[in-house]
Amino acid sequence: MKTVITGATILTADDDDTVLTNGVIEIDGDRIVDVGTDVAATERADRVIDASGMLACPGFINAHTHLCMILGRSLGSDLPLLGWLSEAQVPLMQAFEPDDYDISMRLGAIENIKAGNTTVCEVFFSSHYEQEADQIAARGLDASGIRSVLYRCSNDEAFFDGFVESRHDIVERSQRLIDAWHDSARTGIGIGPLIPWGSSAASFRDAVELSAQQGVGIHLHTAETPEYNDLVRERTGRSNVGMLADVGALGPNVVLNHCVFLDDEDIALIAESASNVIHDPTSNMILASGVAPVPALRAAGVNIGLACDGPSCNNGQDMIEAMKQAALLHKVVTRQPDVLVARDVFHMATRGGAMAVGMADRLGALAPGFLADIVLLDLDAPHLTPAHDPLATLVYSARGSDVHTVLIDGEVILEDRVVQRLDEAEVLARARTRAAAAARRAA
Ligand SMILES: [Zn+2]
């Protein structure tokens, strides 16, 4: 199948940050073969998408979310992290039925696709691992057509009732999930202890070993709040990042999410090990966690991706909003308008995320050889008029709801804001029913 997209203003995010007016994207199967202005490409196409008046860019990579918590959206507002978990979110999750993870993934995938997020990193955790909730979730994500890495996360020592597994079960069940999805084109698997103060050093080492054996990534909540850091220090006598260094859990295949409270030594350890950091500005603000030292991490050469975090601590999945909030947050706390500019946050939302999931050579840019994960935004709207500067328009003026069409692997997965693989009305109705039932059981 050869598809050609014509007429768009294209933000390629390629190595030269090329911007094209009236551009042409030629796609063969799941790959981009050419990006330029060659309209003759339409003669070779099976399908032509006229994107006149639209902005084309790489699909966004929502590099940390918890779609497993989506049925808890709007519960427990205005609480700090541990209170929000213990009083609102965890009791609901304990009341889930295993099948609730299917509807959670479908609802979350629709929300992400409609916001232009073509890849999600689902940091999955559950009190239903015995009933293979992880497999149910992976099947739900895969059915939606979104690209994902489902990180199966849990703890062997401390977290809430039902969420703790033995070391043996963690390794065995992770292995089973990795085996089941080994050959999937779009659904990848990763692993990692969920909470930095909830696992033994041995369990962290298990994750490192399994990651090396199986070639899967590790995803870790890191230094999110001072309380979390205190709990790690009580257990290990080390900072969160220092503890990870001790157990060998730093490196290019490791994703450290949040990293709000770091000292200079932590930043040096992250940089030296080429570990990746994910920034979640909205979640850090909504939970009053703090401001991650993004400028210092960038200065140290650390790769940074961007994320919304879960739909129940954001409370949405709009990566365009996350780009704007990241830029604004660091401008206001440093009082430097150029500390994080539109290009920087766009890079974090595309290529930074691609590198974090180990796909820097094929994801996150519109360039020959890259996977055809493409977003088209309709610029025909009052809040996007005029659009003198396409990048500033995307980052500072646009919203996820401006996304018109989305391709993943060259497949049109959203067309004129209609998801193509799922029945949105059916998914929303089922999600409402299931969320209400879980809330009744939790009460
Ligand atoms: Zn998280």
Side-chain angles (χ1 to χ4, degrees):
M1 177 76 154
K2 288 188 175 166
T3 303
V4 171
I5 300 171
T6 61
T9 299
I10 305 175
L11 293 170
T12 64
D14 69 7
D15 294 341
D16 303 317
D17 285 317
T18 307
V19 179
L20 295 166
T21 306
N22 210 358
V24 175
I25 306 170
E26 194 176 351
I27 302 158
D28 189 358
D30 64 350
R31 298 278 170 163
I32 295 168
V33 292
D34 192 42
V35 181
T37 53
D38 176 18
V39 287
T42 56
E43 290 158 24
R44 304 187 284 274
D46 302 306
R47 174 179 56 188
V48 176
I49 297 173
D50 178 5
S52 306
M54 296 200 195
L55 185 71
C57 69
F60 307 117
I61 298 165
N62 186 2
H64 182 94
T65 187
H66 301 285
L67 301 182
C68 54
M69 303 174 82
I70 199 167
L71 298 185
R73 174 156 36 212
S74 78
L75 276 185
S77 302
D78 308 322
L79 291 169
L81 175 58
L82 278 173
W84 168 82
L85 278 172
S86 63
E87 290 174 38
Q89 298 294 329
V90 163
L92 187 76
M93 293 184 79
Q94 286 165 329
F96 284 170
E97 291 171 345
D99 270 348
D100 289 334
Y101 293 104
D102 174 70
I103 194 66
S104 297
M105 296 303 134
R106 289 170 191 255
L107 174 62
I110 291 175
E111 184 181 4
N112 274 276
I113 289 165
K114 292 187 81 172
N117 309 340
T118 51
T119 301
V120 290
C121 293
E122 164 62 7
V123 180
F124 185 82
F125 65 105
S126 163
S127 58
H128 298 82
Y129 278 136
E130 231 171 290
Q131 294 112 311
E132 299 208 314
D134 48 353
Q135 301 276 10
I136 293 169
R139 287 195 294 271
L141 280 173
D142 201 59
S144 76
I146 201 164
R147 190 182 305 287
S148 68
V149 181
L150 187 154
Y151 292 91
R152 186 198 188 283
C153 295
S154 74
N155 294 108
D156 74 321
E157 286 192 340
F159 200 46
F160 295 96
D161 279 355
F163 290 88
V164 175
E165 298 176 283
S166 70
R167 273 180 67 198
H168 175 267
D169 283 348
I170 291 173
V171 171
E172 191 182 271
R173 292 167 180 174
S174 299
Q175 181 70 61
R176 206 177 307 150
L177 189 68
I178 293 165
D179 290 345
W181 293 91
H182 189 267
D183 297 323
S184 170
R186 291 193 204 164
T187 305
I189 302 298
I191 53 172
L194 178 67
I195 296 295
W197 45 268
S199 281
S200 62
S203 190
F204 273 100
R205 289 201 175 89
D206 289 342
V208 172
E209 195 178 320
L210 191 59
S211 155
Q213 271 173 11
Q214 300 295 322
V216 300
I218 297 180
H219 199 111
L220 301 163
H221 287 100
T222 307
E224 182 171 358
T225 64
E227 292 74 23
Y228 271 32
N229 278 2
D230 289 347
L231 286 163
V232 172
R233 200 171 285 279
E234 275 168 32
R235 292 172 64 93
T236 67
R238 295 279 276 148
S239 75
N240 192 157
V241 175
M243 174 273 285
L244 295 176
D246 290 352
V247 295
L250 293 176
N253 64 336
V254 176
V255 175
L256 307 174
N257 187 58
H258 290 306
C259 289
V260 179
F261 295 91
L262 303 175
D263 60 25
D264 291 347
E265 193 188 333
D266 295 333
I267 292 174
L269 284 169
I270 293 169
E272 282 161 19
S273 62
S275 305
N276 305 277
V277 167
I278 305 301
H279 182 39
D280 311 65
T282 315
S283 158
N284 294 159
M285 287 193 277
I286 213 165
L287 293 164
S289 297
V291 182
V294 168
L297 287 161
R298 283 169 50 82
V302 175
N303 175 55
I304 304 180
L306 191 68
C308 297
D309 208 345
S312 53
C313 62
N314 181 294
N315 288 355
Q317 296 287 280
D318 186 339
M319 283 288 287
I320 298 176
E321 180 187 67
M323 287 194 285
K324 181 171 182 173
Q325 295 200 344
L328 266 52
L329 175 60
H330 295 283
K331 289 176 198 295
V332 75
V333 297
T334 60
R335 302 195 63 231
Q336 293 174 41
D338 62 351
V339 69
L340 212 57
V341 300
R343 185 201 167 274
D344 300 330
V345 292
F346 179 52
H347 188 274
M348 286 160 61
T350 53
R351 302 200 73 168
M355 179 174 261
V357 296
M359 297 176 76
D361 60 338
R362 57 195 186 281
L363 195 65
L366 302 184
F370 276 59
L371 291 163
D373 289 14
I374 303 169
V375 170
L376 302 176
L377 289 98
D378 189 355
L379 295 176
D380 188 20
H383 64 282
L384 303 176
T385 304
H388 295 294
D389 178 334
L391 181 58
T393 299
L394 173 68
V395 171
Y396 297 126
S397 306
R399 302 165 190 153
S401 54
D402 297 318
V403 170
H404 180 280
T405 291
V406 172
L407 289 84
I408 298 178
D409 279 341
E411 174 191 346
V412 176
I413 209 93
L414 182 79
E415 186 168 17
D416 199 4
R417 295 203 60 68
V418 178
V419 286
Q420 300 295 299
R421 284 216 194 174
L422 301 175
D423 178 340
E424 181 175 337
E426 184 271 331
V427 168
L428 266 58
R430 189 149 58 97
R432 283 187 200 104
T433 304
R434 287 215 161 245
R440 273 195 303 275
R441 289 193 298 273

